Each structure stands twice: as structure tokens, then as C-alpha cells.
Amino acid sequence: MNGHPNSSQRYILVVDDDEFLNELFCQFLKNKGFDTHSAYSVAAAMEILKAGTEVDLILLDYQLTDGNGLELLSNINSHTSLQRPPVIMISGNEDAIFLENCFASGVADYIIKPVNLSLLALKVSALINSVAMQRLISQQNAELERFKREAEREESIAKFTYEYLLRQNSESINGVSMWLKSSSSFSGDIALAKVSPGGDLYFLLADATGHGLSAAITVMPVVSIFNSMVAKAFHIEPIVTEINKKLIRDTPQDRFVAAILIQLHQERKEIDVWNGGMPTAYWVHQGEVLQAFRSQHMALGILEEDMFDANVITCDFPGQGTIVAYSDGLIEEVNDTGNPFSSARVAELVKMQDENLQSVLIEALRNYTGRDQYKDDVSICMLEPETIFASCEQQLRDSIGHGFVQEDIGDFSWSVKISGRKIATCEIPPLCNKFLHYLGINQVFCQIVFLVVSEMVSNAIDHGILKLDSSIKDAEGGFSHYFDEREKRLSQLTDLDFIELHLTWQEGEDRPSLEVSVRDSGNGYNFCSTKGTHDLAFSGRGLTLIRNLAQSVEIYPPGNFIKAIIGSS
């Protein structure tokens, strides 16, 4: 009989050359609920075991016709492939040395003849239960070990993916220094810095609820939205609005993300800050706090869209100083007496130390706690606006000066027209970028085209089709009102409303060039002609930026058609 028909059956091999006793033991054990196999010799018992018959316990008479019980045990032990069930030896020999030899050979228990059947039943039940428990423990240990290996493998893959995504979504920028100390394999703190196509610096420091993988998963939507919206040069107000909306919709109610977002405007030399649930960030110069950016908002992922406040603090940049931002892991870490590092201690160090402030804070925390492994994730980041502005300006200048396209692309034209409510969800700039990449056009040149197309399309929609006035943003709460009004007007679009983009590539005699034109269904702008170019009521520095990136820019009456020529070098 091979295997257990069900988990409740237990099989006992009775080995005794006395047929009467063998039958007696078998019948008695069956009455106790066990199944039995009979063997009358060492050889017969070996055959049963070699055949793979399921045996949970061996009831073994010492003296057999072709040997003894110890010889059977020796034979079993010599075959590594055979199972080794526990053995109860039956013998009339009570000699102490003999008993020691039996137990040394692997006997689990011993019964003196004449056999007391009640005692036999108790010993058999105890051994069977012990074996069953050991098997269960062994199976559970094997399962736990398998689970552990699988968990370690999955954690390794997850950590690689997590760190890869963070590396892909952040840039190394002069003037930005980020120090993060994770309390586990995964960090609930993230720090990202990216430069927009227009040369603005965007910085994000976020701290998700909890620790480890669950916290890391919570911040991943923050990373993807931040990255994609910075690439499209959105202001930080719509960025935090979209992040909050995503977290409300796609994460559990008890999950939220404290965050501070900073945007350094390259051309206007302004600094915008949104702080939701993070410790106070300081703008400091030579020990003097020029500005304290305190949290004025709830953390992301708590308030519904109609209650969420995306307004920022805006201040001019005087050309000096450093911004320090940190997570609450710094101020909440305690020493041996249970006292936290505290925000007051941070403020004191900020006022005392200007140079190497990040290193000073890191060392102060280590000295205060007496350790360098902390209970919470700790992040300390420094921004030097003056260095950042210079770096971003150089990066944009390099992009403009070194864009190029392979000479063998060949002439082509490409256009797309979108009308009605589809305009609200149009992704014309990314679609254009994807098409240019498909043709094998250089990444740097694609970035320039993407920036030009983004500015053209954005202004054609907002100021041409939707007839929005940029001056709305200047009032208190203007950005919020602007975007609310934008959503309202987008919902009222009809099939008569349209936007059209056209690209024409020409190799030319001197060097290749790309003609980019955008037409919209709006009534046009009031404009005046100056040396073949015209000023638009473009939002922010839109037209100025396009002119910096293109060889020529023309706006045609009545002002709803703009064309730019971008040359390669």
C-alpha cells in the first residue's frame, strides 16, 4: 500500500517471527485505529521498506529467524534512500548495556516481554503523535523558509525597481544636495530635483505615512506625477493638486504624504513654495533666516479636491542664501533618555552655522542619539538658488546651442487636429515628441521642439480657444481661480472649437530646419508688428522662450496662427 489515503491514517509495521503474536499485535492496533503491515523476518521487513510502503512506526521484536532487530536497524541506516520511522523494540532482555545499545542504534522506545498491551497502545500513540508533530513542524519550517526566500527575492526586485525609478525621475543638479537615511530596506522619504524644459528647477521632498515597503508604495504615484508634470512645465499648484487627487483616489484612507515642493523660476528669479505637513523649511544666509516656509496646508491625500488648497508662498530671490528642508524623522528622533532632537535644535543650528549646514545637522543628529541607524526615515536637503539658477541657465543654453538632427532623416511633414471636448485631454506635445523619436531625431533637439510645441499649444488653448486672461493669476488665489475657470470652459467646448499642429521638416541647402505651426479656432490676439514679429498676450514668458529657442517666429492676423522655424546646429 503506497501513501496515505487520508491524513488521519497511520501505518505501523509489525516485525515478529511469531505469527500468533504478530497477528495479535496487528489486530490490537487496528482496534485502536491504526493500519498495520506484517513482516516475519529482517528480509521481509526490508522488502516492505524498499518498496516505498508508507510506515509511520515499526514495532520490532529483537529476535528474528534471520537476524535480530539491531541488524534490521543497521540495514535501514545503510540505505540513505529509505525512510527512517521511529522504532519500538520488544525483547525480554533487561540488561542495561543491551538497552543502551538499542537506544544508540536509533530505538525510540522499549517494551519488555511479556507485552502489556495497554502500555503498548500508549507508547505507540505517543510516538505517532510525536512523529506527526515533527512532520508538521518540518513542513511549516520548509514552508517558512520557502516563503522567506520568495519574500527576499521579491523584496530585492522591488527595491531594485524602486531605486531605479527614483534614479530615473531625479537629476543631479549643481546646487542641490540631498541626504536620505532609510530606517529599513525601503524609504518612505523621497527627494527629487528636476529641471523643466524651460529651465526652472523643481524640488520635492515627501514623507509617506509609516515605514518600509508600504510607505514606499504610497510615494510612487507622487514620483510619477511630479516627473511627468515637470516635464510639461506645469506650475507646482496644479502638480500638488493632481498628486492629492491621485492619492485620494488610489490609496487607502489611512495613507497620506507630507510634502514640500519648491519651484525656482529661472527668468523671473522667484521662488514658489508649497508646504503640506512637513517641518518648517528655512531660507538662511550667514546665520540669518531670510524666510521660514512653515506648513500652511494639510498633507497630500487627506482633503477632497473641493477642500484642497494649492496656493503657494512666492518670494523674490535676492541672489544669496541656502534653503534647507528636512523630514520629521530628523526632529522626532530621540536620544537614550527619550528626548527628541526637536525643531528648536534645528532652528538653533541653522542660525549658528551657514556653511556645510547639511553635514552639521547630520553630525549633530548622530552625536545626539549616539547612533547612525534611526527609527524613522531621515532626510536633509539643501538648495542653493544662486548656483541652481546658473546651472539651469547653462543647461538650457547648452540645449539650445547643441541640438542637432541626423542629416539623412529626409523631408517630412506631420500634422494633428483635435476638436471639441477632446481638446481637454489632448496630449499633442508628447505625441509630437514620440513621432520625432520614431524618426530617430536627436533627444536634445526633441526637447527644444517639445518646449516650443508645449508653449504654442498651451497658449493656443488657454488664450485662443478658452479666451482666458493671464492677469487672473495675479489676484489672490488667482491660480486656483484660473484653473477652475479653465476646467469650466473646457467642459463647454463644441465641435467648432479646434487646435491644429503642423510640422514640416526640410533638409535645406545650409542645414536642416523644422517649421512648427499652431492654428486655433479662437478670435485671435491684439498685436502690433515689430520687425516681422509680434507680441502676444502669452502666459508668462511663453513667446520670449519660443523666440529664444527658434530662429524666427511669426504671428499672422488675426493672431490665431503662429509659426516658428527651429534650426539644427
Side-chain angles (χ1 to χ4, degrees):
M1 184 179 295
N2 293 323
H4 288 304
N6 60 67
S7 60
S8 64
Q9 288 182 287
R10 294 292 180 262
Y11 291 89
I12 300 173
L13 174 59
V14 179
V15 185
D16 196 322
D17 56 0
D18 187 320
E19 294 185 9
F20 174 76
L21 287 177
N22 196 314
E23 180 63 26
L24 175 65
F25 292 147
C26 287
Q27 191 60 47
F28 174 77
L29 293 171
K30 286 179 181 178
N31 290 337
K32 294 295 183 180
F34 300 103
D35 288 288
T36 61
H37 309 290
S38 293
Y40 302 99
S41 64
V42 172
M46 287 297 296
E47 288 300 320
I48 291 173
L49 294 172
K50 288 179 179 179
T53 305
E54 190 69 31
V55 174
D56 296 290
L57 184 144
I58 299 176
L59 184 60
L60 176 60
D61 185 33
Y62 177 74
Q63 194 62 51
L64 301 169
T65 55
D66 59 345
N68 60 53
L70 295 182
E71 292 175 351
L72 175 60
L73 292 179
S74 178
N75 289 340
I76 293 173
N77 292 333
S78 66
H79 289 74
T80 56
S81 61
L82 292 182
Q83 60 172 314
R84 291 173 175 78
V87 175
I88 297 178
M89 184 75 79
I90 300 174
S91 175
N93 191 343
E94 297 184 68
D95 181 68
I97 295 177
F98 171 76
L99 293 176
E100 287 180 8
N101 290 335
C102 288
F103 286 114
S105 299
V107 172
D109 210 336
Y110 191 87
I111 292 181
I112 303 296
K113 288 183 178 181
V115 176
N116 182 318
L117 293 180
S118 296
L119 180 61
L120 173 64
L122 291 173
K123 288 180 176 290
V124 167
S125 295
L127 272 176
I128 287 291
N129 290 335
S130 176
V131 170
M133 184 60 67
Q134 290 179 13
R135 284 181 178 173
L136 178 60
I137 293 172
S138 178
Q139 290 172 356
Q140 290 177 339
N141 286 339
E143 185 67 17
L144 286 173
E145 187 63 31
R146 185 197 64 79
F147 178 79
K148 179 182 177 183
R149 290 195 302 269
E150 184 67 17
E152 289 174 347
R153 186 183 71 85
E154 291 181 353
E155 179 179 311
S156 176
I157 295 173
K159 186 176 182 181
F160 174 83
T161 303
Y162 173 76
E163 292 177 347
Y164 174 79
L165 288 174
L166 290 184
R167 288 195 301 271
Q168 291 295 107
N169 286 284
S170 187
E171 300 173 10
S172 177
I173 300 167
N174 290 337
V176 179
S177 178
M178 300 180 290
W179 181 85
L180 287 83
K181 182 72 172 179
S182 175
S183 63
S184 63
S185 297
F186 294 90
S187 177
D189 288 5
I190 57 164
L192 302 174
K194 291 188 72 68
V195 178
S196 73
D200 290 352
L201 184 281
Y202 290 73
F203 170 80
L204 165 69
L205 177 60
D207 180 5
T209 312
H211 312 285
L213 183 57
S214 62
I217 291 174
T218 304
V219 299
M220 292 317 296
V222 178
V223 175
S224 60
I225 292 174
F226 177 80
N227 180 56
S228 61
M229 295 189 74
V230 170
K232 297 176 183 178
F234 280 95
H235 187 264
I236 59 175
E237 288 194 352
I239 294 177
V240 295
T241 300
E242 188 61 31
I243 292 173
N244 183 72
K245 187 190 304 182
K246 176 73 171 177
L247 292 174
I248 287 286
R249 185 177 64 242
D250 295 342
T251 58
Q253 291 184 350
D254 63 341
R255 301 280 100 181
F256 57 87
V257 177
I260 182 168
L261 283 85
I262 300 174
Q263 181 177 356
L264 305 183
H265 295 275
Q266 171 67 28
E267 186 168 299
R268 300 201 304 266
K269 295 298 186 289
E270 290 180 347
I271 300 175
D272 289 342
V273 179
W274 186 92
N275 188 343
M278 292 290 283
T280 301
Y282 296 99
W283 182 2
V284 60
H285 177 61
Q286 294 181 349
E288 178 185 358
V289 175
L290 304 180
Q291 185 86 33
F293 301 105
R294 295 178 176 86
S295 173
Q296 296 185 329
H297 308 283
M298 296 288 285
L300 298 164
I302 297 177
L303 298 177
E304 295 291 342
E305 187 175 0
D306 58 344
M307 300 177 62
F308 183 75
D309 184 5
N311 290 328
V312 302
I313 297 173
T314 301
C315 52
D316 294 330
F317 174 65
Q320 56 193 8
T322 300
I323 298 174
V324 53
Y326 52 92
S327 65
D328 61 10
L330 172 64
I331 59 178
E332 294 178 357
E333 192 64 34
V334 298
N335 59 12
D336 293 339
T337 61
N339 295 318
F341 190 74
S342 79
S343 56
R345 184 171 279 100
V346 172
E348 181 181 346
L349 289 169
V350 164
K351 294 176 182 179
M352 290 175 55
Q353 187 74 30
D354 187 46
E355 295 183 0
N356 303 318
L357 180 56
Q358 186 181 63
S359 299
V360 169
L361 289 171
I362 294 170
E363 187 63 25
L365 179 63
R366 183 182 296 114
N367 293 336
Y368 183 79
T369 61
R371 58 185 182 274
D372 57 7
Q373 189 63 39
Y374 307 117
K375 296 179 181 179
D376 194 5
D377 304 318
V378 180
S379 302
I380 304 173
C381 301
M382 300 289 164
L383 307 179
E384 299 176 7
E386 187 174 11
T387 304
I388 292 170
F389 281 134
S391 176
C392 292
E393 184 176 1
Q394 183 62 47
Q395 182 174 328
L396 183 60
R397 187 162 51 244
D398 290 344
S399 295
I400 295 172
H402 296 92
F404 68 93
V405 183
Q406 293 87 334
E407 299 292 336
D408 58 352
I409 291 297
D411 293 348
F412 69 82
S413 64
W414 181 82
S415 63
V416 59
K417 181 179 181 180
I418 297 177
S419 60
R421 293 189 179 182
K422 291 182 180 179
I423 293 174
T425 57
C426 75
E427 293 289 343
I428 292 178
L431 185 64
C432 171
N433 201 45
K434 184 177 181 180
F435 173 73
L436 295 178
H437 273 295
Y438 173 76
L439 294 180
I441 295 178
N442 173 264
Q443 171 63 32
V444 175
F445 191 84
C446 284
Q447 182 182 5
I448 296 173
V449 176
F450 179 84
L451 179 56
V452 170
V453 171
S454 295
E455 293 290 344
M456 285 183 169
V457 169
S458 175
N459 284 281
I461 294 175
D462 286 10
H463 309 300
I465 299 173
L466 302 181
K467 302 178 179 64
L468 288 167
D469 189 343
S470 291
S471 63
I472 296 174
K473 300 178 183 179
D474 298 332
E476 184 177 354
F479 272 100
S480 178
H481 177 63
Y482 183 91
F483 284 104
D484 287 344
E485 185 65 24
R486 187 178 190 274
E487 291 299 316
K488 177 183 176 182
R489 297 188 188 187
L490 283 171
S491 67
Q492 298 172 348
L493 294 177
T494 70
D495 290 341
L496 296 177
D497 299 301
F498 71 85
I499 182 170
E500 183 176 12
L501 168 72
H502 192 83
L503 303 181
T504 302
W505 176 257
Q506 296 178 337
E507 293 291 349
E509 296 182 0
D510 298 329
R511 61 178 182 174
S513 63
L514 181 69
E515 178 184 288
V516 181
S517 64
V518 171
R519 185 190 305 272
D520 66 76
S521 57
N523 296 328
Y525 299 88
N526 294 323
F527 65 93
C528 58
S529 176
T530 305
K531 295 182 180 181
T533 62
H534 316 281
D535 277 332
L536 283 174
F538 266 53
S539 175
R541 61 173 191 219
L543 184 56
T544 301
L545 184 60
I546 293 172
R547 283 174 172 162
N548 286 336
L549 294 172
Q551 289 178 308
S552 64
V553 181
E554 291 185 88
I555 302 168
Y556 297 90
N560 61 350
F561 179 56
I562 181 172
K563 181 171 68 175
I565 305 295
I566 304 173
S568 66
S569 58

